[in-house]
Amino acid sequence: MNRVLIITYYWPPSGGSGVQRWLKMSKYFPGNGWQPVIYTADGAEYPVEDLSLEKDVAPEAEVLRHKIIEPYSFYKKFLGIKKDEKIKAGFINEGKKKSSWKENVSVWLRGNLFIPDARCWWIKPSVRFLKKYLETNPVDAIISTGPPHSMHLIAKELHKKFNIPWIADFRDPWTDIDFFSELKLTKRSLKKHHKLQYQVLTEANKVVTVGWDWAKGLENHGAKDVAVITNGYDFNIEEKLRKVELSSDFTMSHVGIVGAARNAVRFWEALGELVKENTLEDFSKSLKIRLIGQVDNSVIETIKKNDLESYVEIIPYIPHEEVIVEQSSSQVLLLFINNSPNAKGIMTGKIFEYMASGRPIFAIGPTDGDTAIILDKTKSGVIIDFEDKNEIKNVIIDLFNKYKENQLITKKNEIVENYSRRSLAKEYVNLIKKIVETRQ
């Protein structure tokens, strides 16, 4: 069996979205003739943990863990955060109306002293560890997955030393990521980020990302012919739909982080107006909104402003298996795209699990972006522009009327099955084979 070294920071016990792509992808590599050798952190500071994901680790996988030192102990001490409290992902502000001066200083330090990210101290120790390992345990290919983009820098050094075919996999962009402008970078730091990014994009044998718009962005930064292999879902559609009972309420659920950039202001305004107008019979009695994941304070304030607190339930985190049940039992699935410069390229991993659940998707975001393409291709839902409150209102009314008539029916969609992790793993293995054969 061929062997591929996968360098990833996120691995069980890590929960959340960052772990899903390579935990699930590698699960199906052995069935396609490739043994995954996972290199990951020992003692990492993960925003969330989910021990239930351990069962998805391929039995054939070899997992290498190496101690990591992260600057979070200093960060917590500086900000007065308890030692056992988790660091929130994605610049989430839970409970404060604005950042303190200490938080602003911390962001500056993170952006300018830890390049490309807070795991940069792990690069050299990892290179030393893996050089020694590879001398007696050869692999046929290397895949690095970022963010954190320090993983790519580890792979770059190994590629240089051993000339092993290397794929740089971008789950999110580097300098084009939505919060990059918030890092308070000096000109020198900005130049260093771009220099490192260019080195990775031009030295890797292949660059892969999850969507077409981001592929164009990476090509603009130096990569050539970026391959797109999307995220996907990993459960049996028909089996799940048989077991899950649909909510009797008009339940609209959003799964995942709702940061400030995902605050769908016009959606909350439209919803608040429909409740107050009371023109839809039983609307206020039936409405139930579930936000499953971290929620920024700005979103909570918008919900309060529109008098929707009694309709909204915030569930900070639940295990992934339970998330799948929540999705399949909801009448409607909400998808809020970041209202940011790179919005067209945002196609979150959860959209594929949404599609597989068979429930109608209601997205707020760019109507000409990658998410819009997927929704149209699979006929899984509708997307409305951030500012089009009237149309948002119309869609809510239409969905509610269909709910009342029991017309929000789950249907098996053959196209959606192309986005199963099993199918995508086969596609990825074919790409690896092609690169290895070309190098030979």
Side-chain angles (χ1 to χ4, degrees):
M1 187 180 287
N2 292 310
R3 286 160 48 88
V4 56
L5 174 64
I6 300 169
I7 301 172
T8 176
Y9 172 78
Y10 293 105
W11 193 256
S14 171
S17 59
V19 71
Q20 297 295 326
R21 180 171 174 85
W22 281 101
L23 173 63
K24 303 293 189 177
M25 196 79 78
S26 64
K27 176 180 174 181
Y28 296 106
F29 272 27
N32 290 283
W34 284 75
Q35 180 194 15
V37 179
I38 309 299
Y39 176 72
T40 191
D42 181 18
E45 177 83 22
Y46 296 126
V48 292
E49 294 186 359
D50 188 347
L51 297 178
S52 72
L53 295 177
E54 291 280 1
K55 68 179 182 354
D56 286 313
V57 178
E60 300 88 347
E62 180 181 354
V63 180
L64 309 172
R65 295 187 184 272
H66 191 56
K67 187 68 179 175
I68 188 170
I69 298 174
E70 299 179 277
Y72 291 121
S73 57
F74 167 77
Y75 177 83
K76 289 178 180 180
K77 188 174 182 180
F78 183 65
L79 292 179
I81 298 172
K82 295 177 182 177
K83 285 185 178 181
D84 59 350
E85 189 173 336
K86 296 292 185 183
I87 301 296
K88 304 302 180 185
F91 287 82
I92 290 294
N93 178 6
E94 295 184 311
K96 297 179 182 178
K97 293 188 177 180
K98 64 179 183 178
S99 300
S100 68
W101 71 267
K102 285 188 175 182
E103 287 171 324
N104 288 327
V105 169
S106 297
V107 171
W108 188 94
L109 291 172
R110 179 258 185 261
N112 294 283
L113 299 187
F114 302 98
I115 299 176
D117 46 63
R119 287 87 193 185
C120 60
W121 290 349
W122 199 49
I123 296 171
K124 288 184 178 179
S126 295
V127 171
R128 285 195 298 268
F129 176 87
L130 288 171
K131 277 182 178 179
K132 187 175 181 180
Y133 172 83
L134 291 172
E135 284 172 359
T136 54
N137 301 273
V139 297
D140 300 282
I142 297 172
I143 297 172
S144 55
T145 177
H149 300 297
S150 288
M151 305 305 105
H152 298 312
L153 301 185
I154 296 169
K156 183 170 76 74
E157 293 305 309
L158 298 175
H159 172 66
K160 188 187 299 183
K161 168 70 175 176
F162 296 100
N163 198 28
I164 302 169
W166 165 37
I167 296 173
D169 184 87
F170 284 79
R171 302 186 321 277
D172 281 305
W174 187 328
T175 58
D176 288 337
I177 200 165
D178 52 356
F179 61 77
F180 191 73
S181 61
E182 298 175 36
L183 293 178
K184 307 180 188 299
L185 298 173
T186 63
K187 288 183 179 179
R188 183 179 179 182
S189 298
L190 183 62
K191 186 177 180 180
K192 187 172 181 180
H193 271 285
H194 280 280
K195 180 182 178 180
L196 291 173
Q197 176 182 245
Y198 181 78
Q199 288 174 353
V200 169
L201 295 177
T202 55
E203 293 179 27
N205 297 106
K206 192 68 178 178
V207 176
V208 179
T209 191
V210 298
W212 302 279
D213 190 78
W214 286 356
K216 291 176 186 174
L218 291 169
E219 287 170 355
N220 289 338
H221 287 296
K224 299 209 182 301
D225 191 25
V226 176
V228 173
I229 298 180
T230 67
N231 286 311
Y233 66 91
D234 187 38
F235 54 87
N236 184 295
I237 303 173
E238 293 178 328
E239 181 183 333
K240 284 293 176 186
L241 296 184
R242 278 199 305 269
K243 293 181 178 179
V244 176
E245 185 176 336
L246 195 60
S247 170
S248 59
D249 296 313
F250 182 54
T251 307
M252 305 173 79
S253 300
H254 183 283
V255 177
I257 293 171
V258 188
R262 285 185 185 168
N263 188 9
V265 175
R266 301 295 172 256
F267 169 80
W268 298 116
E269 289 177 355
L271 206 58
E273 289 174 12
L274 285 171
V275 169
K276 289 173 185 174
E277 289 166 3
N278 201 28
T279 54
L280 291 172
E281 186 180 356
D282 294 331
F283 182 75
S284 59
K285 292 180 181 179
S286 305
L287 179 64
K288 191 173 185 180
I289 307 291
R290 284 193 186 127
L291 302 180
I292 303 169
Q294 297 172 17
V295 179
D296 192 85
N297 184 66
S298 62
V299 180
I300 296 171
E301 289 300 315
T302 304
I303 291 169
K304 289 179 179 178
K305 184 179 179 181
N306 291 282
D307 299 319
L308 293 169
E309 304 102 300
S310 60
Y311 302 97
V312 179
E313 180 184 9
I314 297 175
I315 306 170
Y317 186 78
I318 58 176
H320 189 249
E321 280 295 312
E322 294 178 32
V323 167
I324 293 171
V325 173
E326 288 286 348
Q327 290 170 172
S328 300
S329 66
S330 296
Q331 292 287 347
V332 177
L333 293 172
L334 298 171
L335 186 67
F336 301 147
I337 305 297
N338 295 35
N339 194 349
S340 56
N342 70 338
K344 286 176 63 175
I346 295 175
M347 187 165 54
T348 62
K350 65 176 165 280
I351 189 174
F352 301 98
E353 293 192 348
Y354 274 17
M355 293 189 303
S357 73
R359 304 311 303 155
I361 299 170
F362 181 18
I364 308 294
T367 56
D368 58 348
D370 287 354
T371 293
I373 292 171
I374 286 286
L375 289 176
D376 180 64
K377 187 176 181 180
T378 60
K379 307 303 177 190
S380 298
V382 61
I383 185 166
I384 307 300
D385 187 80
F386 298 107
E387 296 300 322
D388 196 346
K389 185 168 73 173
N390 287 336
E391 192 56 30
I392 290 172
K393 210 168 178 178
N394 290 336
V395 170
I396 295 172
I397 292 169
D398 180 61
L399 289 168
F400 180 73
N401 287 333
K402 286 178 179 175
Y403 152 78
K404 292 284 287 182
E405 296 165 5
N406 199 29
Q407 292 300 308
L408 292 178
I409 302 170
T410 297
K411 296 179 181 178
K412 184 179 178 182
N413 189 326
E414 301 288 345
I415 300 174
V416 170
E417 293 182 12
N418 294 330
Y419 298 99
S420 71
R421 296 287 188 181
R422 188 185 298 272
S423 297
L424 294 165
K426 186 175 182 179
E427 185 180 345
Y428 219 113
V429 164
N430 288 336
L431 177 66
I432 299 170
K433 286 179 180 177
K434 185 177 179 181
I435 293 166
V436 170
E437 288 168 2
T438 300
R439 290 298 304 275
Q440 290 175 343

